[in-house]
Amino acid sequence: MSSTSGTPEASSLGAFFFFGLLWIVVIGVFPLLALVHVSPDQQPKGCRRLGLSPGQSNLADEYDSKYNEGVPSDQKEENGSPSWRVKALFTYPLKSCGGIELQTSDVVGTGLKYDRQFAFAEETDAGWNCRTLRNAGFQRMALIHTEVWVPDPSSPDYDDRRPEMQSDGVMIVSYPRVAPPGPLGMIVKFTMAIRLLKSRCSFQVPLVPSKNSKYPVAPVRIWKDKPLAYNYGSLLPPSLHTYLGFDPSKSPLSLFRAHPSHNREIFRNAPRNEQIGFQPNTAFADAYPIHLLNIASHRDVAARCAEPIPRLSIRRFRANIIVQGPEAFAEDQWKRMMIGETEIYAACRTVRCRLPNVDPDTGDRHKTEPDRTLKSYRRVDPGDRTNACLGLQLVPAVEKCSLAVGDEVRVLEMGEHQYIKMLAPGEKVEGV
């Protein structure tokens, strides 16, 4: 039997495979190493991460039928806890992106600390315009997650000269990695599948610009306001533009940080300076500092649209405070309350847009729900007969306080609400 192992053809074939393998290494592995190299340290030195531990949530039982009905406000749990209490707390540092669940939170003039201090904006002929899950094509923002890391003097790595300390901490932004087209994309997908490469990209930004930083300041349109904000666009990696489907050369996208000297004063339904000693303000929140939801009210909505969405999470509605105990929609008439030791005004009901149609776990946008169900029976505010209402917009009676899961909720005053809408010149809305 003859053998071809030593023939020139066999040698050429072997050389072909060798150089082919080498080429794959050069064009595939080296770029992968670069991808790994640019991923930032997920634990900023000298800092601690805010929020509950990964995998923990006070909403783990949100679908339990026990939340379908209310209980008397003076009833106590077997362990002595008040029946009307805070069930969960969330802050959303980056507008329209994933939130951070908390056990306790400081409250500042703009709401829960760190809430809606950052926002994405798109540059148009009219300037920078804030973009959210409401905007077409931006539902992918639901899968952008944030972590807030703050200086921890007890950490062995703490050093007040570090950049993280100079900026009062950092925010880490992560998002799904998008594999490039072609052979490299196949390699990226394979290495993600075997967990050699992380499935999410990330970058970090300072929570507050340090004294020596030179980030430009520009106006950003949010509704009718155009507050000045720090432009962090230079910190955005190309992979984020790729994930959001943006071509920076055609439609620039940037990240803005609210400027503490240019927060938006809130009037409309908010209590006035004469009542509470200061005028309420927000950073990039839509309207008021804090948003509250009653879990029983949400369960009522969820039951009515259970066929199209069998498990409608309360997280779709992006509330800061979720309370348990009151019966469904009891909060509609709340005007003033105590949460823990803090007096809080209910400025108005929360008028809903279609943002909750986006699933926070998948980024998919439902064509109609829960917006259609809400509008079928929750157009209850005489100030806006066009849109549905669910939840309350809150203003604390003090500029600084703290809230915690388990805080008792006590209603001090009840009455009627009438939403005051932001009207464009010449616009008229029924009931206003």
Side-chain angles (χ1 to χ4, degrees):
M1 182 178 294
S2 63
S3 173
T4 60
S5 60
T7 64
E9 291 82 359
S11 299
S12 298
L13 187 61
F16 174 79
F17 280 114
F18 172 78
F19 285 108
L21 180 62
L22 181 62
W23 181 245
I24 290 175
V25 171
V26 171
I27 69 169
V29 175
F30 284 1
L32 285 179
L33 291 176
L35 287 172
V36 174
H37 176 71
V38 299
S39 296
D41 185 357
Q42 292 298 301
Q43 296 188 7
K45 294 184 182 299
C47 296
R48 61 180 177 85
R49 186 181 63 83
L50 289 186
L52 301 186
S53 299
Q56 291 186 340
S57 175
N58 291 311
L59 291 178
D61 65 344
E62 67 165 306
Y63 301 108
D64 195 310
S65 60
K66 68 182 179 182
Y67 298 118
N68 295 350
E69 305 293 336
V71 295
S73 60
D74 57 356
Q75 181 175 309
K76 296 288 185 180
E77 301 286 343
E78 292 183 359
N79 61 5
S81 298
S83 60
W84 286 26
R85 63 182 186 271
V86 174
K87 177 169 177 58
L89 290 171
F90 285 86
T91 187
Y92 295 86
L94 180 48
K95 187 176 180 68
S96 271
C97 297
I100 298 173
E101 187 171 358
L102 307 164
Q103 195 68 19
T104 63
S105 178
D106 291 333
V107 178
V108 296
T110 56
L112 268 65
K113 194 171 184 180
Y114 309 113
D115 190 61
R116 275 90 171 183
Q117 295 296 310
F118 297 85
F120 286 118
E122 182 181 7
E123 190 173 28
T124 66
D125 292 339
W128 290 102
N129 285 272
C130 189
R131 292 293 181 247
T132 71
L133 290 170
R134 285 184 294 268
N135 301 112
F138 280 85
Q139 61 268 23
R140 292 182 181 180
M141 290 172 64
L143 302 184
I144 296 178
H145 299 163
T146 58
E147 294 180 2
V148 169
W149 292 75
V150 295
D152 181 8
S154 66
S155 169
D157 296 321
Y158 180 85
D159 185 338
D160 58 13
R161 295 169 297 180
R162 290 186 181 279
E164 295 90 341
M165 313 301 113
Q166 297 292 319
S167 62
D168 290 338
V170 299
M171 178 177 71
I172 293 179
V173 182
S174 68
Y175 46 94
R177 187 185 299 278
V178 178
L184 178 57
M186 296 176 62
I187 296 174
V188 169
K189 291 178 181 178
F190 174 72
T191 51
M192 285 195 294
I194 63 174
R195 299 187 179 182
L196 179 63
L197 185 65
K198 292 182 179 180
S199 62
R200 297 181 67 85
C201 300
S202 61
F203 65 98
Q204 67 182 42
V205 299
L207 280 180
V208 180
S210 62
K211 294 180 180 179
N212 298 325
S213 64
K214 297 182 179 180
Y215 296 107
V217 174
V220 180
R221 178 177 292 279
I222 173 170
W223 298 107
K224 293 177 64 177
D225 298 323
K226 295 185 73 173
L228 294 178
Y230 294 106
N231 189 338
Y232 277 9
S234 61
L235 303 178
L236 299 188
S239 58
L240 177 67
H241 294 277
T242 300
Y243 170 68
L244 290 174
F246 259 80
D247 181 349
S249 65
K250 296 181 180 179
S251 185
L253 181 76
S254 193
L255 175 66
F256 284 85
R257 203 281 181 206
H259 195 300
S261 299
H262 295 276
N263 289 324
R264 301 148 54 219
E265 285 194 328
I266 302 300
F267 293 92
R268 298 162 64 200
N269 292 101
R272 297 297 193 261
N273 179 47
E274 294 76 17
Q275 292 175 267
I276 58 177
F278 64 95
Q279 192 59 43
N281 62 93
T282 65
F284 285 121
D286 278 346
Y288 297 88
I290 298 175
H291 177 208
L292 176 145
L293 275 182
N294 173 10
I295 194 169
S297 302
H298 167 264
R299 296 308 305 151
D300 188 273
V301 176
R304 293 169 185 260
C305 61
E307 183 174 346
I309 306 179
R311 291 171 70 85
L312 183 78
S313 175
I314 197 170
R315 293 184 297 111
R316 285 178 179 250
F317 295 88
R318 305 176 65 78
N320 299 114
I321 303 174
I322 297 170
V323 301
Q324 68 177 80
E327 65 181 10
F329 310 118
E331 70 277 12
D332 277 350
Q333 279 72 46
W334 295 356
K335 298 287 286 186
R336 194 164 53 90
M337 71 201 77
M338 294 291 294
I339 299 183
E341 300 299 321
T342 302
E343 181 183 0
I344 297 179
Y345 285 82
C348 61
R349 299 184 181 98
T350 302
V351 174
R352 308 306 323 194
C353 63
R354 294 183 180 180
L355 186 149
N357 286 19
V358 178
D359 187 331
D361 295 322
T362 65
D364 295 331
R365 188 193 304 274
H366 196 281
K367 291 182 179 180
T368 59
E369 297 293 356
D371 180 67
R372 182 167 63 182
T373 293
L374 279 165
K375 286 181 177 176
S376 71
Y377 79 115
R378 287 295 299 167
R379 296 180 183 182
V380 297
D381 196 295
D384 188 346
R385 295 298 189 185
T386 303
N387 297 296
C389 295
L390 183 67
L392 292 173
Q393 297 291 307
L394 306 183
V395 175
V398 292
E399 290 188 270
K400 292 184 178 181
C401 60
S402 62
L403 298 172
V405 171
D407 278 350
E408 183 177 9
V409 177
R410 293 186 291 118
V411 178
L412 302 178
E413 180 183 347
M414 299 181 68
E416 295 299 321
H417 285 285
Q418 180 161 343
Y419 180 75
I420 299 175
K421 187 180 179 183
M422 289 184 287
L423 298 177
E427 181 185 5
K428 293 184 179 180
V429 175
E430 179 185 355
V432 176

